[in-house]
Amino acid sequence: MMKWMKVTFGALGAVALLTTVACGSTTEPSGNTQGAKTGTDITVKDNTNTSVYQNFKLEKIDKLPNMRGIAWLSESSIVTDKENTSMKPVSVEGEERYPHNLYMYDLTKGTDTPLIESEVNLGAPQVSPDGQHLFYWQTEETTGWPFILNLKSGEAVAAGKEDGFVQEGAWLDNEHVVFSNMKGDLISAALDGTTKVLVETGNFNVRSIKVSGNMIYYITGEDGQLNTYDAKTGEVKQVLKSVEWVIPSNDGTRLAIVKRTADTKRALVLTDLEGNEKATLARGTQIFGTSWSGDDSKIAYTINSDKDNEKGLFVSNTESAEQFQISAEMDNVADSLAWSPQGNKILLSQSVMENEKYHFVTSIITISE
């Protein structure tokens, strides 16, 4: 298992696990030993691609220190995780640390409201499609136990009794989530916490679980095998190899795939549902955080590269494949990027280093066309 953990978390890079920070692991929050920032200043550089720049404008970047923004609840509120200083701290390597809990942050008022509080670390939240429930993990280093929170009542139920790898999982519909356990089984959990096994993959290395309609996408093994599971028919298919991330479009007609083209080279490509490539949007050492806008007209992502004009946060037009660089400084992200419901804002979180300590900074990027 440790061999796989080393390989996978090196590849994950931007998937910064909550407890990595909270528990004082020697692994950097970004998962990339080259990726730590030494401050929170962000440099916005003009993009000289005239055809793109005329149709795309960066309005502003608002920075929110000491919180990790992860998902949108509405156009004016986001789900965040941060330290809960009202709880009793624990001593880790001689330093007192508070548990990370989940909050709603109002962007208009600048206020925090706890969604759920605990004496232990909570993280990796995902909002249900109807905005009524929150899937999250009670974390312990890189693993944890899944829970479902009713956002109206504040009641949480355990999604079964098996642990799994933090960050993995997706909503299948408004009443069910799907995630993997430590054995590599794909598990479906209902709102009342009851579970059933969908697929016994036989490979504990299951990652990048995504849902599009009735189809569940997931990757297995060190060879990056992309698979699909049809929730209606129960059919399992193998699609492609050398895949690191899969991100289905919202309309279910296309896939954005980050594939490994060499040991230190990645490409972001658009494919049909069978994996046939239609366009290449980006290339780099690593590509993280890929996210479709709500209308599927744009994709946001970050690139690691040695060249300033080829790294950072980008947005590409999914029809023309034209690319716009927002900032060269935003090349290491903690989670997948998230588009606001209206599609004019991007939520992004980074781990940065200040005074020899890591903390999260959330950016709200406002754009216009």
Side-chain angles (χ1 to χ4, degrees):
M1 178 177 293
M2 290 307 295
K3 178 181 179 182
W4 171 79
M5 293 283 281
K6 180 178 180 181
V7 172
T8 299
F9 287 110
L12 287 178
V15 182
L17 298 181
L18 173 65
T19 51
T20 302
V21 177
C23 299
S25 168
T26 55
T27 303
E28 294 186 1
S30 68
N32 181 343
T33 57
Q34 304 298 321
K37 301 298 179 187
T38 56
T40 59
D41 289 340
I42 294 173
T43 303
V44 180
K45 298 188 176 183
D46 288 338
N47 187 286
T48 56
N49 186 327
T50 304
S51 62
V52 179
Y53 196 78
Q54 288 176 342
N55 297 299
F56 189 94
K57 182 180 179 182
L58 170 63
E59 297 290 345
K60 61 177 180 175
I61 298 177
D62 296 313
K63 294 182 291 182
L64 307 172
N66 301 314
M67 71 172 66
R68 181 176 179 176
I70 301 176
W72 294 88
L73 279 172
S74 69
E75 193 68 25
S76 61
S77 62
I78 59 175
V79 179
T80 72
D81 90 52
K82 67 173 192 174
E83 288 185 332
N84 187 343
T85 56
S86 67
M87 293 293 173
K88 182 179 179 180
V90 296
S91 180
V92 179
E93 298 178 355
E95 180 181 350
E96 287 194 338
R97 299 186 181 179
Y98 294 93
H100 280 243
N101 287 177
L102 301 176
Y103 294 79
M104 179 188 73
Y105 182 80
D106 189 308
L107 296 172
T108 303
K109 299 177 180 178
T111 55
D112 276 318
T113 303
L115 292 175
I116 183 166
E117 298 182 286
S118 175
E119 295 180 350
V120 298
N121 290 310
L122 310 176
Q126 296 190 47
V127 183
S128 62
D130 62 5
Q132 301 300 303
H133 293 84
L134 193 73
F135 176 63
Y136 69 94
W137 292 82
Q138 177 179 305
T139 65
E140 186 174 315
E141 296 185 356
T142 58
T143 62
W145 287 265
F147 286 80
I148 299 173
L149 172 69
N150 185 313
L151 289 171
K152 285 189 175 180
S153 69
E155 296 181 0
V157 297
K161 299 180 180 179
E162 297 186 84
D163 57 349
F165 288 111
V166 175
Q167 296 284 350
E168 290 305 336
W171 284 93
L172 185 57
D173 51 41
N174 288 320
E175 288 79 36
H176 299 85
V177 294
V178 59
F179 56 92
S180 60
N181 62 15
M182 297 294 288
K183 294 184 293 185
D185 299 335
L186 282 185
I187 306 293
S188 172
L191 296 181
D192 62 3
T194 57
T195 61
K196 67 176 181 179
V197 177
L198 300 180
V199 184
E200 295 179 353
T201 70
N203 189 325
F204 78 91
N205 183 352
V206 177
R207 58 200 185 277
S208 193
I209 299 172
K210 298 292 189 299
V211 171
S212 178
N214 296 314
M215 204 67 66
I216 299 173
Y217 296 85
Y218 59 99
I219 298 171
T220 56
E222 294 184 14
D223 60 352
Q225 175 66 60
L226 174 60
N227 311 275
T228 62
Y229 169 80
D230 191 318
K232 276 194 172 181
T233 67
E235 184 180 10
V236 174
K237 289 185 178 180
Q238 296 182 333
V239 183
L240 287 174
K241 289 186 181 295
S242 298
V243 178
E244 294 198 343
W245 310 100
V246 58
I247 309 93
S249 62
N250 295 298
D251 65 5
T253 64
R254 292 175 289 177
L255 302 176
I257 288 176
V258 176
K259 66 175 186 177
R260 185 174 61 253
T261 57
D263 287 345
T264 60
K265 294 181 180 180
R266 307 293 185 271
L268 173 61
V269 299
L270 297 184
T271 77
D272 61 19
L273 299 183
E274 285 71 46
N276 300 306
E277 293 186 19
K278 301 301 181 181
T280 298
L281 298 184
R283 299 182 187 274
T285 303
Q286 295 285 0
I287 300 174
F288 298 125
T290 308
S291 177
W292 294 81
S293 61
D295 62 1
D296 293 326
S297 66
K298 298 177 290 295
I299 286 183
Y301 51 92
T302 65
I303 302 176
N304 288 162
S305 175
D306 295 331
K307 300 178 181 179
D308 278 354
N309 65 336
E310 297 178 0
K311 74 171 187 176
L313 173 62
F314 291 82
V315 172
S316 284
N317 182 299
T318 58
E319 295 300 327
S320 68
E322 291 181 304
Q323 185 185 70
F324 174 75
Q325 184 188 39
I326 291 179
S327 171
E329 298 301 311
M330 295 180 175
D331 56 339
N332 288 278
V333 293
D335 306 281
S336 293
L337 308 176
W339 291 84
S340 66
Q342 292 183 7
N344 66 331
K345 296 183 178 70
I346 300 171
L347 175 63
L348 176 151
S349 292
Q350 294 173 282
S351 58
V352 300
M353 178 182 281
E354 284 187 320
N355 301 321
E356 299 183 351
K357 292 183 180 180
Y358 287 104
H359 67 96
F360 284 103
V361 174
T362 293
S363 294
I364 307 293
I365 299 111
T366 302
I367 62 175
S368 62
E369 292 184 84

